[in-house]
């Protein structure tokens, strides 16, 4: 029954005598199956389907004979179905679908137990004798047993369970005329080992046993073979890694550097005349590297014997469909809403800025009320009861875009039709979860593998490749050893085996370590074994013990990371611009644009903005220009919005708008001082409605309303006292909008139109009996507020500008002296920040108050003069197109800048 092989070449010699007419060769993976089929076709010309099979394919064939009515569940359908069974149980330790992956791991561990028809009695007795174990994890075992029993009753089975299901039936009924040769190496489960033993009683079975002298280092790797061996094989206790000149050891700082060096080495081998099909790139899981590896190999022009695939869910039409279904079924997310509104939409129903404000933060279906008009009558959910798959599809396909391509949808429906029982009923949300799983995992081939290409494979698929040159990536401890979380301790696993004979799967998965050492036993011309200190996400990695041991034995251990070899991308990037442009076939215009972009991004000095003499500015936009010219460009040139997004609570800007609007209404003529709290509350509600303020959660509005009622009361009390002190105060402007112009030649404000328009809005203007004005700008807090002496130094020009314009008669009010310009912090009843003219006859304020904000006529004139000079300087830069990023304070502005992701500032590149 056993054929002992000590190296891969032994298996190759055995396969050279294999007769596909009467035997079947059983392997563990698809790559090995394809390779062996190709060899046999070249040798014999024709080949029967059963000549080479994967183990899972053989188990399906045997199961079909024994239980033809059984239906094999995919992992996606199993997860959905099992949650449908578990959810009604209301288990305190399994309250969400996240418990299902844990359940599946547990069930796989217990398969060798479930394969015994007497497992219930045996385990019940064992738990009786081991009560502590029952307390800790007995409930998991009972749930697994319950799921297993129900699946048996309903003839449902997962592919990974088939060996246990087959063992529960009479193998004497199996009709399979071929002799079986099993070549599973370490990729064999405990229950598969039991099944091989039983099969050998009824048919001709040969098992290739990888006789590895290092087995004492990882006894769990070949544990399933233990009952099949006539006597235990213990290996060589003195075994050490191979020492050979063909082995090289690479140590790199990142996995990206690892990929670059790998591609560079493959290019060197190809240039040296090594055939592509004799070269391999191998990793514990090649898919981890494939997205980056594929780009580098494509740039090198290296053919690859690996198909290019894409997940179904990555296609636009599928993403749009599933996003809409999630939204309708109240599984709300901002990403889904964005796909729903903007994918394949020539005319979206709302602008992206509106969408960003309304739906950047969403929490449940109630948040869709923020834009009722977009959803009413368009998102009708299905009946809220369990449905068959055809009923759910009939509803779901109503949301499929008629203009979308249907090829991918058809492939999805074929999978669903093949595996879902017609009578199965699930809740709509559970069918949605099933669809999500299919779209996330099912792949379609975009481009077939190139036959004369290098191999890019996972370690478990490399056994049969005829290669002499290879690079092995990711020799880290985490990649080669997988610790499965289980409540069953290693000592309890051993005790179960001792007491019952049930051998459970190990939680310390060492199969990949075993496969690595088996891989090293080949006759290599060159083999490079690589380790990187960090992965693509920057997480720190630990080198594999085998990599450390082998590199020490070969006296080639690298203590420090090495520089990766040069790739084609590196060469292209290091070429002069002209040579690069010729290589890429770029037009002269394109080259000129790239050259200018490089120069601009290098130090930010080269300007690439188009000059424009027509400019519209405001006090706030000039302040943004001085903070950073690119912020001005983003808002004024690109018309980008940084309006705050809607969330549970109101943001500071929206609160400020509400307060401004409220006090404006409280000062409406004739001013009332006898507002009741009830009336103030109604006014706050009315104000909110008029300025269209939305809440992320309406339940929070009463608190905001109460706060503004209090602010309104504080404001009224302070205003009444102020006007008692200064009875000649009269408000003549509330939210006063204006427009005027700038004479860029003479650096003056004027009423006549020019190319430079200045606009703005004054919160409030008061006047006294002599026509002197007081400007007021409402603020929520005193943070960063300054007196007039430091306005220009801190780029705060608003009150200075408005004061100057009033004195020039350009605001829409009679020309007059500005006696005061102040910030008004309503919450604190404080309006002293700004300036007051020192005047004993003032009717708008008291000159006797002790403040540091008094200003004389000479100082005010100098303030206005310097303001004009600053504005002229800024406008000269703006009209000339000098809008490259140049923040006045990088540490203060850049981290919180709304346009950081667009910015080309040198310090951000």
């Amino acid at each position: 029954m056993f054929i002992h092989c000590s190296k891969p070449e032994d298996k190759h010699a055995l396969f050279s005598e294999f007769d596909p007419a009467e035997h079947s060769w059983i392997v563990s993976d698809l790559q090995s199956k394809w390779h062996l089929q190709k060899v046999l076709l070249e040798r014999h010309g024709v080949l029967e389907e059963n000549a080479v099979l994967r183990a899972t394919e053989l188990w399906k064939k045997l199961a079909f004979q024994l239980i033809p009515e059984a239906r094999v569940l995919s992992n996606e359908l199993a997860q959905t179905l099992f949650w449908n069974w578990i959810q009604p149980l209301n288990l305190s330790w399994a309250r969400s679908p996240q418990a299902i992956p844990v359940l599946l791991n547990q069930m796989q561990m217990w398969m060798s137990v479930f394969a015994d028809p007497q497992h219930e009695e045996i385990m019940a007795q064992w738990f009786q004798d081991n009560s502590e174990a029952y307390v800790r994890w007995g409930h998991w075992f009972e749930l697994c047993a319950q799921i297993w029993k129900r699946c048996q009753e309903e003839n449902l089975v997962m592919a990974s369970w088939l060996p246990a299901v087959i063992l529960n039936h009479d193998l004497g009924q199996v009709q399979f005329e071929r002799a079986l040769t099993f070549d599973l190496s370490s990729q064999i489960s405990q229950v598969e080992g039991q099944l091989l033993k039983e099969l050998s009683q009824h048919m001709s079975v040969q098992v290739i046993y990888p006789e590895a002298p290092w087995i004492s280092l990882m006894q769990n790797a070949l544990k399933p073979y233990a009952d099949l061996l006539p006597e235990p094989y213990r290996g060589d206790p003195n075994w050490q890694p191979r020492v050979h000149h063909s082995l090289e050891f690479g140590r790199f700082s990142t996995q990206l550097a690892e990929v670059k060096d790998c591609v560079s080495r493959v290019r060197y081998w190809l240039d040296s005349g090594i055939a592509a099909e004799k070269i391999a790139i191998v990793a514990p899981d090649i898919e981890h590297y494939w997205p980056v590896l594929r780009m580098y190999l494509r740039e090198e022009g290296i053919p690859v014997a690996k198909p290019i695939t894409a997940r179904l869910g990555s296609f636009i039409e599928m993403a749009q469909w599933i996003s809409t279904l999630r939204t309708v079924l109240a599984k709300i997310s901002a990403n889904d809403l964005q796909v729903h509104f903007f994918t394949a939409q020539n005319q979206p129903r709302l602008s992206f800025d509106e969408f960003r404000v309304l739906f950047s933060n969403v929490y449940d279906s109630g948040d869709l009320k923020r834009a009722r008009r977009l959803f009413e009558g368009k998102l009708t959910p299905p009946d809220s009861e369990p449905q068959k798959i055809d009923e759910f599809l009939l509803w779901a396909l109503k949301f499929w875009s008629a203009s979308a391509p249907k090829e991918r949808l058809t492939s999805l429906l074929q999978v669903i039709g093949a595996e879902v029982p017609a009578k199965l009923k699930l809740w709509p949300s559970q069918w949605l979860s099933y669809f999500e799983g299919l779209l996330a995992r099912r792949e379609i081939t975009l481009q077939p593998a190139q036959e004369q290409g290098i191999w890019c494979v996972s370690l478990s698929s490399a056994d049969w490749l005829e290669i002499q040159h290879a690079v092995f990536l990711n020799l880290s401890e985490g990649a080669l050893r997988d610790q499965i979380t289980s409540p069953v301790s290693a000592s309890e696993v051993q005790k179960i085996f001792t007491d019952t004979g049930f051998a459970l799967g190990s939680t310390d998965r060492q199969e990949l370590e075993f496969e690595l050492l088996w891989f090293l036993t080949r006759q290599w011309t060159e083999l490079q074994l690589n380790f990187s200190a960090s992965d693509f996400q920057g997480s720190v990695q630990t080198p594999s013990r085998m990599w450390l041991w082998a590199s020490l034995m070969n006296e080639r251990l690298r203590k420090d990371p090495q520089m990766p070899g040069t790739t084609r991308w590196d060469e292209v990037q290091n070429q002069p611009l002209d040579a690069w442009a010729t290589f890429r076939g770029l037009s002269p215009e394109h080259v000129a644009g790239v050259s200018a972009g490089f120069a601009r991004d290098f130090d930010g000095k080269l300007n690439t903005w188009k000059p424009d003499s027509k400019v519209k500015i405001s006090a706030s936009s000039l302040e943004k220009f001085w903070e950073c010219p690119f912020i001005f460009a983003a808002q004024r040139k690109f018309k980008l919005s940084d309006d705050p997004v809607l969330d549970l609570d109101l943001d500071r800007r929206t609160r400020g708008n509400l307060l401004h609007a409220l006090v404006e209404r409280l000062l409406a003529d004739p001013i009332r001082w006898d507002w009741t709290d009830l009336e103030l509350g109604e006014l706050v509600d009315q104000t909110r409605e008029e300025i269209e303020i939305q809440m992320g959660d309406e339940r929070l509005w009463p608190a905001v309303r109460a706060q503004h009622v209090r602010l309104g009361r504080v404001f009224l009390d302070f205003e009444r006292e102020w006007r008692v002190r200064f009875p000649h105060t009269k408000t003549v402007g509330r939210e006063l909008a204006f427009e005027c112009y700038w004479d860029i030649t003479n650096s003056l404000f004027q009423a006549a139109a020019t190319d430079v328009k200045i606009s703005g809005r004054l919160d409030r203007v008061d006047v006294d009996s002599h026509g002197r004005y007081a400007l007021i700008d409402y603020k929520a807090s005193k943070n960063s507020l300054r007196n007039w002496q430091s306005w220009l130094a801190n780029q705060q020009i608003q009150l200075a500008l408005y004061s100057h314009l009033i004195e020039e008669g350009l605001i829409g009010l009679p020309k007059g002296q500005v006696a005061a310009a102040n910030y008004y912090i309503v919450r604190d009843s404080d309006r002293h920040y700004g300036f007051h003219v020192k005047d004993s006859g003032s009717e708008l304020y008291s000159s006797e108050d002790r403040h540091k904000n008094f200003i004389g006529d000479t100082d005010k004139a100098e303030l206005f003069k310097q303001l004009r000079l600053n504005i002229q300087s800024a406008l000269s830069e703006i009209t000339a197109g000098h809008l490259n990023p140049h923040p006045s304070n990088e540490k203060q502005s850049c981290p919180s800048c709304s346009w950081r992701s667009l910015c080309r500032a040198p310090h951000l590149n």
Side-chain angles (χ1 to χ4, degrees), residues 60 138 180 192 233 393 528 544 548 619 749 776 852 907:
K60 287 180 181 179
L180 300 176
E192 283 177 321
Y233 175 70
L393 278 173
Q528 172 145 338
S544 162
L548 287 171
F749 302 105
I776 294 174
K852 298 179 181 179
H907 66 281

Side-chain angles (χ1 to χ4, degrees), residues 658 662 665-666 672 675-690 701 705-706 708-709:
L658 179 59
L662 176 63
R665 286 156 177 76
L666 289 174
R672 286 182 52 198
W675 288 84
T676 65
D677 285 352
L678 178 61
E679 291 174 320
L680 284 175
E682 293 173 350
L683 181 63
V684 172
D685 290 335
Q686 179 185 345
T687 303
R688 175 201 175 187
E689 184 177 349
E690 290 176 358
W701 171 246
R705 182 179 186 267
H708 283 79
V709 167

Side-chain angles (χ1 to χ4, degrees), residues 332-381:
I332 308 298
S333 76
N335 288 337
D336 282 334
L337 288 172
Q338 182 174 339
V339 172
H340 172 72
F341 281 121
F342 298 104
T343 299
Q345 298 287 336
N346 294 327
Q347 295 181 330
R349 286 172 284 166
L350 77 169
S351 71
F352 186 77
D353 280 336
E354 290 177 298
F355 170 82
R356 185 184 62 81
V357 170
L358 289 173
F359 299 117
S360 288
N361 297 311
V362 291
Y363 302 97
D364 56 38
S365 58
D367 294 331
L368 301 184
K369 296 177 182 178
R370 301 172 186 176
R372 294 178 186 272
R373 61 182 176 83
L374 300 175
F375 299 103
E376 288 180 348
K378 296 182 174 68
L379 301 179
T380 305

Side-chain angles (χ1 to χ4, degrees), residues 388-445:
K388 297 179 181 178
I389 185 61
D390 56 345
E391 297 171 332
F392 181 78
L393 278 173
L394 184 64
W395 168 81
L397 289 174
K398 294 177 182 178
F399 300 96
W400 180 266
S401 174
S403 60
K406 298 179 176 59
E407 294 83 357
R408 267 80 66 175
L409 176 64
T410 301
S411 65
L412 176 68
L413 295 179
Q414 288 172 344
V415 171
I416 294 171
E419 73 172 14
V420 176
K423 295 181 179 180
L424 176 62
K425 285 189 175 184
L426 296 175
W427 295 94
S429 60
Q430 293 172 338
W431 283 125
L432 174 64
S433 297
Y434 168 57
F435 280 25
E436 289 173 329
L438 290 179
L439 292 177
R441 297 179 183 90
R442 298 297 171 124
E443 295 181 339
I444 61 173
T445 300

Side-chain angles (χ1 to χ4, degrees), residues 741-750 752 754 756 758 872 875:
Y741 299 88
W742 178 261
D743 180 354
I744 203 164
T745 303
N746 299 309
S747 303
L748 293 173
F749 302 105
Q750 64 180 49
T754 67
V756 180
I758 303 174
Q872 178 68 17
L875 287 171

Side-chain angles (χ1 to χ4, degrees), residues 887-901:
S888 58
N889 187 328
E890 287 181 14
K891 293 183 179 179
Q892 181 176 332
S893 298
C894 294
S896 59
C897 179
S898 300
W899 322 120
R900 182 184 177 90
S901 60

Side-chain angles (χ1 to χ4, degrees), residues 440-588:
R441 297 179 183 90
R442 298 297 171 124
E443 295 181 339
I444 61 173
T445 300
L446 302 179
Q447 180 180 318
Q450 297 171 271
E451 290 192 10
Q452 302 301 316
I454 68 166
W455 299 97
C456 289
V457 296
S458 295
L459 175 58
S460 60
S461 301
D463 202 17
W464 283 95
L465 300 183
E466 297 175 2
I467 51 178
Q468 288 88 42
H469 295 75
V471 179
F472 200 112
L473 305 175
N474 200 18
L475 281 166
S476 64
E477 192 74 0
L480 291 174
R481 294 187 70 171
D482 183 18
Q483 290 284 346
I484 297 177
T485 302
S486 172
V488 187
S489 68
S491 61
E492 288 169 331
V493 169
Q494 182 60 42
K495 184 166 178 52
I496 290 173
F497 176 70
T498 303
D499 295 346
T500 67
F502 293 142
L504 306 186
S506 172
T507 57
D508 183 9
R509 305 297 299 274
Q510 299 176 311
E511 291 88 345
L512 288 178
E513 272 194 329
F514 180 91
E515 295 292 343
L516 169 64
L517 296 181
W518 183 259
F519 187 73
L520 294 182
T521 62
R522 288 170 173 262
Q523 296 302 314
W524 293 103
T525 303
E526 287 187 59
L527 172 62
Q528 172 145 338
L529 303 167
N530 289 344
F531 161 73
S532 60
S534 62
D535 62 16
F536 289 118
Q537 288 73 40
S539 300
V540 177
Q541 300 196 123
T542 304
S544 162
R545 59 173 181 161
M546 295 304 168
W547 181 85
L548 287 171
W549 193 6
S551 59
L552 282 169
M553 292 298 300
N554 284 269
E555 298 182 350
R556 295 173 187 173
L557 175 63
R558 293 180 179 271
K559 296 182 179 180
D560 298 312
Q562 65 194 79
M563 289 294 293
T566 302
T567 66
R568 183 61 175 154
W569 248 350
D570 296 322
E571 293 171 352
V572 169
Q573 289 174 336
N574 288 326
Q575 284 182 330
L577 182 59
D578 292 342
W580 173 77
T582 302
F583 173 74
R584 294 297 190 195
L586 304 181
S587 66

